[in-house]
Structures are given as C-alpha cells and as structure tokens.
Amino acid sequence: VELIVGQPYRNMLAFASTRSYFFLGDSLRKLSVSRIAGFHKTAWLRSRSEGESGPLTLSSLGLKCEVDSRKKDNFVDLGSLNSATKISSGRVKAVRNSLSKAVGTKNTLKIDEALFSAKTFGELGLSPLLIDRLEKEGLTVPTDVQSAAIPTILQKHDVVVQSYTGSGKTLAYLLPILSEVGPLKKPVDGNLSDLKPGIEAVIIAPSRELGMQIVREVEKLLGPADKKLVQQLVGGANRSRQEEALKKNKPAIIVGTPGRIAEVSAAGKLRTHGCRFLVLDEVDQLLSFNYREDMHRILEHVGRRSSAKPTDILGPLARRSERQTILVSATVPFSVIRAARSWGRDPLLVRAKSVGPLDSISVPQPTSFASSSDVTSSSGSTTQGVADSLPPALKHYYCVSKVQHKVDMLRRCVHALNAKTVIAFMNHTKPLKDVVFKLEARGMKAAELHGDLGKLARSTTLKKFKDGELRVLVTNELSARGLDVPECDLVVNLDLPTDSIHYAHRAGRTGRLGRKGSVVTICEEPEVFVVKKLRRQLGVDVQQCDLTEGKLNVCKEEEVEKLAEAMRNTS
Ligand SMILES: Nc1ncnc2c1ncn2[C@@H]1O[C@H](COP(=O)(O)OP(=O)(O)OP(=O)(O)O)[C@@H](O)[C@H]1O
C-alpha cells in the first residue's frame, strides 16, 4: 500500500521535549566477540558497509511538495482515510490555545502554528479516552508526522518514522501504542477494563536521559493513577529496584536503554515474548557498534515468534516476530532501511506528509569525510542529503578563526546575535572546561556538560541551563541528540562535526517547533573546504560571515575569497 497524506498545509514543528542524554553507562559494556561474530551474519553485518549509502531524509517543505506530486502515481491519498480539513481561523486559534497551554509562559520564542497539521487527533482513529487525555494536556492538533504515523501504526504496519528534529516523533509512535495498550486503549466490545497482563510495548532509547524523557511523556498521558503501568529500565539506576518494580507493578510498557533491558532480560526478569510493539527511538544511533550485542538480545526476545523459519542468508534476526516494529529518527541512513527490512514485515516509511514502501526510496550515493579520529558516526556511516532532517527555519553560518581565538569568536557571536540560550559543541571532553573558564572570565555565564560528569552534576547543569541561569552550555557530541531546550536560539560548532548527520543533530537543538534559530560553525581556514562540503551535503545555505563592530555580517561572495587570502597571509 502506498499512501500520501492529504494535508494541504505545510509541515509542523512540535513542542520542545526535554530529551537530553549522554552516552555513559550501559552502552559501554564489553562485547562478546563470539556474539558479535554471529551477529555479523545478520542485518548488522550489512549495516557495516553503509558508508556506501546515504540517508533518506525529509525534503524541505517546499521541495517536499514537489517530490510528493512527482511521486503521486505511486501513492494513495491518506485524505481518503481521514477527511482532510482546511485550517479555519477557529482551528488556528485552537492550535494557538493548545500551544500556549502546552508551552506555558516560560517560552518566549515564537512558534509558527500555521505549520501544524489541519487534522485533529480525533480524526486519526485514536481511542476516545486517549483523545480526552490529550485535550486535558492541551494537545489537540497533531503535527504532520503524527497525522501520517498514527493511522499507519494503528493499521498494524511496521514503520520507519522519519522527520526533522523537534517535529513530534515521540507522540507519533506513543499515541497509537497507548490507543492499543493500557487503560486508555480502545474499548473492545464496549469493555474498557479488558487489560491484558504482561508487557505489551518495549521502547528503546540510546541514553537514560532520553529514556526518562519518554517515560515522562507516557506517565503524563496515563495520568497519576496509572503511571506505574510504564516502567523505566535505564542504566545508571539501581537494577534490583527496577526488577522489584517490574514484579510489583506489572507494567504494560517498558522504556529503557539497550544495556539495562538486555541485562534484565538475560537475568530472566523480563518477559517480553507477548510484546506487541517494539520501538527503537534514535534507531540509527542504536545501530552503532556499542549497542550490537544488547540490541541483538532485545530483537531476539521481544515479541512472540511466528512460525516462519529463519532463512540461512539473513540469520536469526530475519525470523519474523509477531510484534510490530517501529524505527524512529530524524536521520535515516541506509543501515536503518536494511534493518527495517530484516526485522519488519513490509515496513513503510512514514514522513511528515507521506507514507510509502521502503522500496520506493532511492538511496543517495555515499559521501564521507572524517575530521576527528575519536568521534564515530552514529551509524558507522556518513551520508548525504540530510537537509530534510533540519528544521527549515534554521539559519546557517560559518566564520573563520584561528584556533586560539575561537572562544572569543563564540562570545562575539553570542553578543552579535543577542542569543540568550546557546549550546556550543566540541568534539572532545577535555577542552570544555577551558572554554567555560574563558567565557566566565569575560562575564558570560557558562557550564560544561558531558558524560564524564556525575549524574547529579549533569542534571543540575541541565536544569540551570533550562531555567535560564546559564547562557552558554559547552558540551560535546554526546548532547547532540535528544537534548531539548526550546529556548535555545543559537548552536555554535567550536569543532567541526564529524559528518552531515552529526551536523544535523547538533543543529537540531535549536529552531525547534518552527522557532527561530541560528547555527554558527567556527572553523580554521584550512577547514573551510569541509564546511563547503557539508554545505553541499546538507543542501542548505551555510553563509560565510564575520563578526565586526558587534555585528554578524554575511560576507558577500566576492569578498569571501579576499578574506581567505588575507587569513592565509596573516597566518
Ligand atoms: N501535536 C502536538 N502539539 C503540541 N506539542 C506537541 C505535539 N506533539 C508533540 N509535542 C511536544 O513536542 C515536543 C517535541 O516533540 P519530540 O521530542 O517528539 O520531537 P522529535 O521529533 O522526537 O525531536 P528529536 O528528533 O529532536 O528528538 C514534546 O515535548 C511533545 O510533548
């Protein structure tokens, strides 16, 4: 079945989540060579060679419409499933109300509500109880990716959900699950209390902070009386307490990190064979080497085995399980597509305005560059065409600086853009402290955030940053995915990201929900070619700028070469 969402309106941007994470803990567990070797025979092995492939990403909004209309012959209008409605002034008002309710008074950056989908949650086939809950939470209008994903998941398809950062992917998979599982599910023959015992959904996230964020979203929807029906199994927390809670609360939904879930499962304390849903959030991250053994176990144990026999070629992971497999990320390299084909049954690719078979996707050619030796690509591959994973409202700049002036450049950049909430990325942990020291010395409130800090220090720093007590958060790659601070209006790359995927996730920390945001990459002169390469891969205009007289000035094309020449002469 090939479908296209009949939405006449432009893409949406969802709310700010508080997804933040660091890759300490259970991802760093030792791997068994023999397990990995066996594992390599499966889809994982194939994912290794994915440097030869590119990501399948969202088109920018304007381009998207073109792509959709070109592919129209191959797609069916989702509007036939859900009568498309026009956004009336009343609808816009409802969205505005919904947003202001949900955003609260703290957020000052403007959200473009016109980018929200025209549909209401009520039109998507969700359970009435769930719709009531959503309304109570001030959520009435689904984002485009939710409009596309919810009916598709409810129709029991395996899916890969892809849309740009901050576009509401979490609810896009949580809502159809909660519509089928737990106390908010659709009544069966009018019987609301038809609750099945046992775990019905397992959601995996690559870090404990991200896992906890998802838990909080589920708890919010379940309400205080039923919040124990979701159980976290994240690393860094007391395992025996988690196991006790499992026994006592008999949760329907498990959210956790690969290491901890695999551990508890291996200890025989987690019964997931009756599980109906398996979600891998930030799936391309979960395909990385560190998670292989744990993910292998999870894929093997979640969901009842169907009678289908494994094929010799694909190995045990190819065995079809009766669970529904949902893979989610803003960036979907070919490794994800391959994994989806191996683990799912005729999976569909769900994007903001379209739903189609994975086979309908053409795979871009490989591109790759490495600028840092100890930062690995999330998927083990670099890819091209990730522009569709970037929030469309973002503005991208780069400026050239000598390495010793970078922090000063960052400070000037913050002032020039009058940025209030800034995330500065570096590739390594060690220099973060020095940057903080220099910023503080110049009167700019800053703090470092990385996985080597203790749990308490991390949460305190993050809270301070979210509360506006810090202006600049200096962090490393580990914060690039999931960290959600809606007020973040500037991302600065003090070191070049490893590849376009890393750029996209770093950049995605700002400009969430259609808010304004800028990304400034500060690079040395010899690195300019890398930025230009990134610019090509991203398909966005990364303009060269300089910072003089307290202003960010975009360099005119003819001046760019002169500046480069001047830099070469002074060095
Ligand atoms: N329809 C909606 N209306 C209002 N708020 C929404 C809606 N859908 C989601 N949100 C809120 O938007 C926030 C961001 O959504 P979410 O974290 O799912 O984005 P995402 O696409 O997963 O981003 P990322 O890829 O960066 O993780 C969440 O806090 C969620 O509560």
Side-chain angles (χ1 to χ4, degrees):
V1 180
E2 294 177 310
L3 307 160
I4 206 170
V5 179
Q7 294 285 339
Y9 294 101
R10 292 201 151 239
N11 216 344
M12 89 46 61
L13 296 160
F15 248 32
S17 67
T18 49
R19 291 165 58 159
S20 58
Y21 68 90
F22 311 95
F23 304 113
L24 258 196
D26 55 1
S27 69
L28 300 176
R29 297 160 71 240
K30 282 193 176 170
L31 301 175
S32 144
V33 173
S34 58
R35 290 301 297 270
I36 294 164
F39 205 30
H40 276 203
K41 287 181 187 162
T42 68
W44 291 110
L45 173 61
R46 291 180 290 142
S47 76
R48 281 201 71 172
S49 59
E50 272 140 29
E52 300 154 16
S53 316
L56 300 160
T57 53
L58 289 169
S59 305
S60 62
L61 295 175
L63 288 174
K64 183 81 198 74
C65 296
E66 261 177 48
V67 172
D68 285 344
S69 61
R70 271 190 275 121
K71 290 190 173 174
K72 216 162 186 164
D73 292 346
N74 294 329
F75 286 78
V76 172
D77 198 336
L78 265 193
S80 58
L81 300 175
N82 307 286
S83 57
T85 51
K86 242 189 160 185
I87 296 183
S88 61
S89 55
R91 161 71 50 234
V92 171
K93 213 169 152 193
V95 173
R96 192 176 289 128
N97 289 342
S98 149
L99 287 174
S100 56
K101 241 189 186 179
V103 170
T105 49
K106 201 174 130 220
N107 184 14
T108 51
L109 289 177
K110 195 171 169 274
I111 300 166
D112 185 356
E113 66 263 26
L115 295 177
F116 271 74
S117 161
K119 286 191 176 78
T120 63
F121 281 114
E123 294 168 73
L124 298 176
L126 293 168
S127 87
L129 281 173
L130 184 55
I131 291 162
D132 281 354
R133 283 286 329 148
L134 287 169
E135 266 171 25
K136 280 185 189 128
E137 291 298 326
L139 300 168
T140 50
V141 184
T143 68
D144 278 349
V145 72
Q146 290 163 1
S147 294
I150 291 168
T152 313
I153 296 172
L154 285 174
Q155 285 165 16
K156 306 207 183 303
H157 288 286
D158 286 343
V159 289
V160 176
V161 180
Q162 177 204 43
S163 71
Y164 52 79
T165 50
S167 58
K169 292 186 290 295
T170 315
L171 287 184
Y173 66 76
L174 280 185
L175 296 183
I177 291 175
L178 287 171
S179 202
E180 299 282 321
V181 164
L184 301 172
K185 73 178 184 181
K186 278 186 207 143
V188 181
D189 300 330
N191 183 4
L192 290 177
S193 59
D194 176 35
L195 285 184
K196 284 186 191 156
I199 295 162
E200 295 201 73
V202 172
I203 300 166
I204 317 284
S207 74
R208 59 170 170 257
E209 279 81 3
L210 184 49
M212 289 310 296
Q213 167 59 31
I214 298 165
V215 169
R216 282 193 289 271
E217 293 250 351
V218 182
E219 283 178 346
K220 207 164 69 184
L221 291 168
L222 288 176
D226 291 311
K227 69 176 192 180
K228 286 191 173 159
L229 288 175
V230 58
Q231 157 93 46
Q232 55 93 354
L233 283 183
V234 298
N238 186 302
R239 192 181 124 191
S240 42
R241 230 176 274 160
Q242 289 174 341
E243 288 173 356
E244 272 167 35
L246 270 179
K247 223 163 132 187
K248 192 172 148 213
N249 300 331
K250 307 211 179 320
I253 301 169
I254 295 292
V255 184
T257 47
R260 180 53 55 90
I261 290 188
E263 244 176 353
V264 178
S265 164
K269 305 275 170 62
L270 194 66
R271 295 188 188 284
T272 50
H273 287 96
C275 188
R276 295 162 60 197
F277 297 96
L278 174 64
V279 180
L280 309 186
D281 202 344
E282 303 289 355
V283 58
D284 51 333
Q285 189 75 51
L286 292 172
L287 293 180
S288 72
F289 185 83
N290 280 344
Y291 299 111
R292 286 184 182 197
E293 194 184 11
D294 298 328
M295 290 303 300
H296 181 236
R297 187 177 171 95
I298 291 165
L299 286 155
E300 278 284 273
H301 287 83
V302 172
R304 196 172 288 111
R305 287 267 164 273
S306 71
S307 50
K309 287 195 176 128
T311 67
D312 287 344
I313 304 164
L314 295 177
L317 287 186
R319 263 185 280 189
R320 295 292 181 252
S321 148
E322 285 174 23
R323 63 161 192 251
Q324 216 175 320
T325 307
I326 298 165
L327 311 182
V328 184
S329 183
T331 47
V332 175
F334 195 61
S335 53
V336 172
I337 300 299
R338 286 186 162 177
R341 284 182 186 141
S342 291
W343 307 334
R345 239 178 304 220
D346 304 324
L348 296 175
L349 180 68
V350 176
R351 297 187 286 186
K353 285 181 188 287
S354 69
V355 182
L358 293 181
D359 296 340
S360 65
I361 304 305
S362 62
V363 179
Q365 288 307 300
T367 53
S368 154
F369 62 86
S371 59
S372 169
S373 55
D374 68 346
V375 179
T376 50
S377 170
S378 53
S379 58
S381 65
T382 53
T383 49
Q384 104 184 133
V386 290
D388 309 333
S389 308
L390 289 167
L394 282 191
K395 285 196 157 59
H396 305 264
Y397 306 99
Y398 76 94
C399 56
V400 178
S401 165
K402 286 183 178 172
V403 68
Q404 63 269 33
H405 298 147
K406 277 190 174 185
V407 182
D408 194 48
M409 206 69 153
L410 161 65
R411 195 184 53 77
R412 282 157 59 193
C413 187
V414 172
H415 286 308
L417 291 169
N418 194 22
K420 302 282 184 287
T421 309
V422 183
I423 303 179
F425 283 101
M426 300 189 82
N427 289 346
H428 307 283
T429 306
K430 255 188 166 178
L432 301 179
K433 196 180 281 302
D434 188 47
V435 174
V436 170
F437 181 78
K438 285 178 179 160
L439 290 174
E440 291 259 314
R442 300 297 299 269
M444 194 169 273
K445 285 252 170 228
E448 59 179 321
L449 190 66
H450 52 84
D452 291 350
L453 294 173
K455 210 170 132 189
L456 187 65
R458 288 206 305 270
S459 53
T460 310
T461 301
L462 203 52
K463 186 173 181 312
K464 278 187 181 173
F465 185 58
K466 286 181 175 176
D467 291 348
E469 289 176 42
L470 299 168
R471 194 167 185 186
V472 186
L473 187 74
V474 190
T475 186
N476 59 13
E477 202 58 51
L478 308 181
S479 306
R481 279 180 189 244
L483 180 69
D484 182 79
V485 182
E487 296 81 10
C488 177
D489 47 0
L490 173 64
V491 162
V492 176
N493 290 315
L494 281 172
D495 289 325
L496 284 176
T498 320
D499 55 38
S500 49
I501 285 185
H502 285 74
Y503 184 97
H505 286 282
R506 286 180 178 190
R509 298 315 101 207
T510 184
R512 294 174 78 81
L513 268 189
R515 295 173 175 93
K516 283 183 182 160
S518 304
V519 186
V520 180
T521 301
I522 303 174
C523 65
E524 292 174 69
E525 213 280 323
E527 294 173 324
V528 168
F529 84 98
V530 180
V531 177
K532 288 183 176 170
K533 201 165 178 179
L534 266 178
R535 183 165 64 183
R536 278 198 303 278
Q537 292 174 356
L538 291 160
V540 291
D541 194 11
V542 186
Q543 295 176 292
Q544 183 168 4
C545 67
D546 61 37
L547 296 156
T548 47
E549 295 165 5
K551 286 191 185 134
L552 184 146
N553 310 298
V554 174
C555 300
K556 291 198 185 106
E557 209 49 56
E558 61 268 26
E559 285 167 359
V560 169
E561 281 313 312
K562 279 188 208 163
L563 262 168
E565 188 64 27
M567 288 294 296
R568 275 194 290 274
N569 292 342
T570 52
S571 60

